[in-house]
Amino acid sequence: KQEVTQIPAALSVPEGENLVLNCSFTDSAIYNLQWFRQDPGKGLTSLLLIQSSQREQTSGRLNASLDKSSGRSTLYIAASQPGDSATYLCAVWEGSQGNLIFGKGTKLSVKP
Amino acid sequence: GEEVAQTPKHLVRGEGQKAKLYCAPIKGHSYVFWYQQVLKNEFKFLISFQNENVFDETGMPKERFSAKCLPNSPCSLEIQATKLEDSAVYFCASSRQQGPSYEQYFGPGTRLTVT
């Protein structure tokens, strides 16, 4: 059974720092991995989707990498801003059915 | 529309009452997914649809939960005889097609509180 783990559970950094969020999964037979952002009381905003054949994806200050063989993905946020404060979730898509399996998230707080 | 819409935003039910949640997928998206988020950010997949057909229902507690996606109507998730443990945020997501190239876009969720 696929399990997705995110470390750390919470992270607090000063504004301007570069930071890395980690996601690991137990079964490397995934089709893609998606990073989301969730603001309090809100839905999920898709940030980046990495296909299983890809190594990384970039969008603005965000860069996500995928290493299927080791079962790991990282989300790199450059020059963090207070507006980046949110919970970041990773989810893997496996099998033919297409439902996502989520980690429990990393709650990020960026202090001004 | 351009966003997944979910109604209501909040729903409070007494234990044993029925709850019905609605989801309108993004126009042109063929697949709809329902997820349940309980405390500590635990997401659980419930059911998915391809248009009006059930695609995968492996996550559904079939005794009390049912769902439909009918043509020209919002999709619905219904819980008969709610229990305290059903308290959660229920998210609906849609995607254009099925496959790893297609992102799932999530709605804002419906917070169900069972008292």
Side-chain angles (χ1 to χ4, degrees):
Chain A
K1 180 186 170 186
Q2 178 75 270
E3 291 185 2
V4 179
T5 304
Q6 291 187 245
I7 295 173
L11 181 63
S12 182
V13 299
E15 182 176 5
E17 270 203 9
N18 302 324
L19 58 100
V20 173
L21 307 181
N22 297 293
C23 172
S24 61
F25 44 95
T26 53
D27 186 344
S28 61
I30 65 168
Y31 287 76
N32 71 25
L33 184 144
Q34 204 166 344
W35 280 94
F36 294 89
R37 167 187 174 138
Q38 184 175 27
D39 293 282
K42 302 287 179 64
L44 303 179
T45 301
S46 179
L47 298 173
L48 291 164
L49 182 146
I50 312 176
Q51 307 290 348
S52 62
S53 58
Q54 297 173 323
R55 298 283 294 184
E56 65 178 340
Q57 283 285 344
T58 297
S59 175
R61 293 183 294 108
L62 306 179
N63 175 279
S65 67
L66 175 64
D67 184 342
K68 269 185 61 176
S69 60
S70 66
R72 298 172 69 144
S73 175
T74 60
L75 179 66
Y76 175 83
I77 303 177
S80 58
Q81 302 170 358
D84 295 330
S85 297
T87 296
Y88 291 80
L89 295 134
C90 73
V92 300
W93 192 102
E94 63 169 20
S96 61
Q97 303 303 335
N99 52 283
L100 293 171
I101 300 172
F102 284 84
K104 293 185 181 180
T106 294
K107 185 175 182 179
L108 173 66
S109 176
V110 181
K111 306 292 186 186
Chain B
E2 294 298 317
E3 295 181 341
V4 176
Q6 289 189 249
T7 56
K9 191 171 182 179
H10 299 283
L11 189 58
V12 180
R13 288 290 180 264
E15 202 171 7
Q17 291 185 318
K18 183 173 72 175
K20 196 165 185 178
L21 293 61
Y22 297 92
C23 167
I26 293 172
K27 191 177 179 181
H29 283 195
S30 303
Y31 287 83
V32 170
F33 305 81
W34 284 98
Y35 294 88
Q36 178 194 54
Q37 184 184 27
V38 294
L39 291 176
K40 303 295 184 187
N41 288 332
E42 293 207 26
F43 275 84
K44 178 188 173 187
F45 166 75
L46 296 176
I47 190 170
S48 61
F49 287 83
Q50 178 187 11
N51 297 312
E52 62 266 27
N53 304 307
V54 174
F55 191 70
D56 178 9
E57 56 182 348
T58 53
M60 281 287 270
K62 294 183 182 175
E63 303 81 38
R64 299 180 296 107
F65 284 60
S66 63
K68 294 179 185 177
C69 277
L70 300 176
N72 302 313
S73 296
C75 296
S76 64
L77 176 69
E78 188 168 349
I79 309 172
Q80 303 284 347
T82 52
K83 297 182 178 180
L84 295 176
E85 69 214 45
D86 298 331
S87 294
V89 181
Y90 291 82
F91 286 101
C92 171
S94 72
S95 65
R96 184 172 296 279
Q97 290 292 341
Q98 170 71 345
S101 301
Y102 298 95
E103 290 177 63
Q104 292 186 24
Y105 295 88
F106 281 72
T110 292
R111 180 175 295 277
L112 172 65
T113 302
V114 181
T115 60

